[in-house]
């Protein structure tokens, strides 16, 4: 295993940071890696917000399902799927572009997340931990106000960075589901109830929990994640963002 | 600059491959890096299709805006945003989950793209080139038939891999837009017409084209990309995929 593969395998989310700042040089390297990521037609369909204002960090911590560690993170970056900027470029050249559509949004979300993951990998190589905040999709109205988002600009990913505490370094990386459960050859294969059970049992064994109870775990996990208030809020909020792309004129 | 940063900076899309295959061991390492990527709640909201059937590769080459190099790529992976599999897990535990909503889709697209980018980085470390195929979002009806996609499973990214030819190795990496044009401090800042012009002029200078004509370039680029048939098809197709998430019951 080469050094890159070793670091990708070792990287895990870090939510508790030491007081050590992320230097300007480190931030530049992290951002440069994001820019260096592949991008559809080299269009860089994202705008990155570098959140330096402590009051705004605190506001984001609140809007993102009340996670205080965001407020104290040394570096906070919001990756916006920006379906506005190129249309403004076209307008500056005297063109009248079509409205952005749902395909433009999906492409821009992909571009933004691909860039974000390069930032994560770059940070890891510098000994800087990171954590994605999926909740950035929530609270559309308040998020738009907090970040001054115009129409057709949608938060795709938020990342917080900082140097991991010793306790965070020692924390084991969560086990993944088996490869044969995630990968299908050629076409999509429905997995069976027995297949689901076997995959989660294998993951639990790898995590040192051989007494795993599938039914009980799924019930608790569903209540905590999928049927939770934050999850329903995420879809409500996303539906509002999507309305900008329904005006698409084909 | 450390080795990881160096490789992220050097990586560029590769569309012409030598006859050298991607070995089973290399494929395993590439997939493992995808699994090792961060994932919301460690839920791995993706299914990866490993396209080994030459006829299916040829079909995808046709469906993805007729790009023949896809058909001859040694390794083709489709990263699906899978908003079905977890609901099936919940059903296997006797639960009756809500319909997936637009927030679930955006989270799954992010998960899939974050995993895909780890696959790209892993491949680069093994000397294997890669290229994203954004066109995988197009031709919803035919794509669903070709890949046997059920409802709420949406192609987020497609990657083709292979060893780069010498000509591809020598090709310069396309220049990026200036950092100060892409990054805003704290809140979204509208860029001005003069700002757009300056950013693209800077990119052209970096690419060795100091005689760059903004208006002419934007007109040609818009016609070739944003106002093209494939781009309109991408939004038509994406709108069909999104219908699966409009049945969301809040």
């Amino acid at each position: 295993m080469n050094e890159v593969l070793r670091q990708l395998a070792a990287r895990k989310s870090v939510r508790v940071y030491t007081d050590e700042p992320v230097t300007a040089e480190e931030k530049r390297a992290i951002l440069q890696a994001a820019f260096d990521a592949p991008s559809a037609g080299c269009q860089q369909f994202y705008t990155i917000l570098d959140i330096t204002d402590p009051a705004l960090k605190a506001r984001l911590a609140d809007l993102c399902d009340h996670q205080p560690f965001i407020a104290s993170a040394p570096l906070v970056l919001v990756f916006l799927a920006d379906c506005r900027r190129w249309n403004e470029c076209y307008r500056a050249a005297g063109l009248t572009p079509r409205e952005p559509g749902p395909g433009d949004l999906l492409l821009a979300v992909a571009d933004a997340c691909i860039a974000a993951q390069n930032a994560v990998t770059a940070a890891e190589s510098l000994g800087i931990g990171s954590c994605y905040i999926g909740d950035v999709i929530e609270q559309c109205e308040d998020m738009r106000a907090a970040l001054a988002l115009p129409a057709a600009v949608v938060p795709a990913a938020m990342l917080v960075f900082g140097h991991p505490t010793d306790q965070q370094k020692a924390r084991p990386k969560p086990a993944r589901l088996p490869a044969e459960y995630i990968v299908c050859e050629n076409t999509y294969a429905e997995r069976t109830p027995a297949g689901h059970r076997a995959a989660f049992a294998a993951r639990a064994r790898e995590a040192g929990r051989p007494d795993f109870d599938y039914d009980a775990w799924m019930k608790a996990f569903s209540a905590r994640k999928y049927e939770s208030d934050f999850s329903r809020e995420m879809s409500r909020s996303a539906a509002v963002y999507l309305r900008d792309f329904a005006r698409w004129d084909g």
Side-chain angles (χ1 to χ4, degrees), chain A residues 47-215:
Chain A
T47 285
I48 302 173
L49 303 184
D50 173 16
I51 312 295
T52 58
D53 175 6
L56 185 53
K57 281 187 193 175
R59 179 74 177 134
L60 290 175
D62 195 37
L63 289 179
C64 293
D65 199 33
H66 315 288
Q67 298 185 77
F69 80 97
I70 298 168
S72 56
L75 175 62
V76 177
L77 299 178
V78 180
F79 287 75
L80 302 168
D82 191 339
C83 295
R84 174 175 174 79
R85 203 186 67 224
W86 272 89
N87 272 13
E88 292 300 302
C89 292
Y90 294 140
R91 283 194 190 96
L95 299 166
T96 307
R98 63 172 173 79
E99 292 286 330
D104 303 300
L105 174 63
L106 290 184
L107 204 60
V109 167
D111 247 33
C113 292
I114 289 165
Q117 184 54 16
N118 260 23
V120 163
T121 302
E124 179 77 13
S125 80
L126 297 166
I128 296 169
S130 59
C131 185
Y132 279 97
I133 311 292
D135 304 278
V136 75
I137 304 166
E138 297 160 26
Q139 308 293 349
C140 171
E141 299 79 3
D142 288 343
M143 194 63 77
R144 280 177 161 165
L147 302 178
L149 305 184
V153 176
V154 177
M158 177 163 147
L159 277 170
V160 295
F161 300 87
H163 291 271
T165 60
D166 287 341
Q167 175 269 341
Q168 289 280 303
K169 282 184 196 162
R171 200 173 57 86
K173 176 165 174 156
R176 266 48 179 174
L177 292 159
E180 62 274 17
Y181 178 72
I182 297 293
V183 180
C184 303
E185 192 166 356
N186 292 314
T187 53
Y188 190 91
E190 291 288 355
R191 275 133 286 183
T192 61
H196 296 307
R197 286 175 185 276
F200 281 83
R203 188 174 80 162
R205 275 196 306 276
E206 201 185 313
R209 294 193 303 271
D211 57 345
F212 177 75
D213 178 336
Y214 181 93
D215 292 335

Side-chain angles (χ1 to χ4, degrees), chain A residues 6-53:
Chain A
R6 198 193 61 69
Q7 289 195 21
L8 294 177
R11 188 272 173 199
K12 55 184 192 267
S13 294
V14 171
R15 294 181 184 81
V16 189
Y17 311 113
T18 68
D19 291 338
E20 189 181 349
V22 174
T23 68
E25 192 186 351
E26 288 167 335
K27 180 157 83 176
R28 260 196 304 277
I30 289 168
L31 287 168
Q32 186 58 49
F35 306 147
D36 276 326
S39 162
C42 205
Q43 288 173 91
Q44 300 178 261
F45 280 124
Y46 47 80
T47 285
I48 302 173
L49 303 184
D50 173 16
I51 312 295
T52 58
D53 175 6

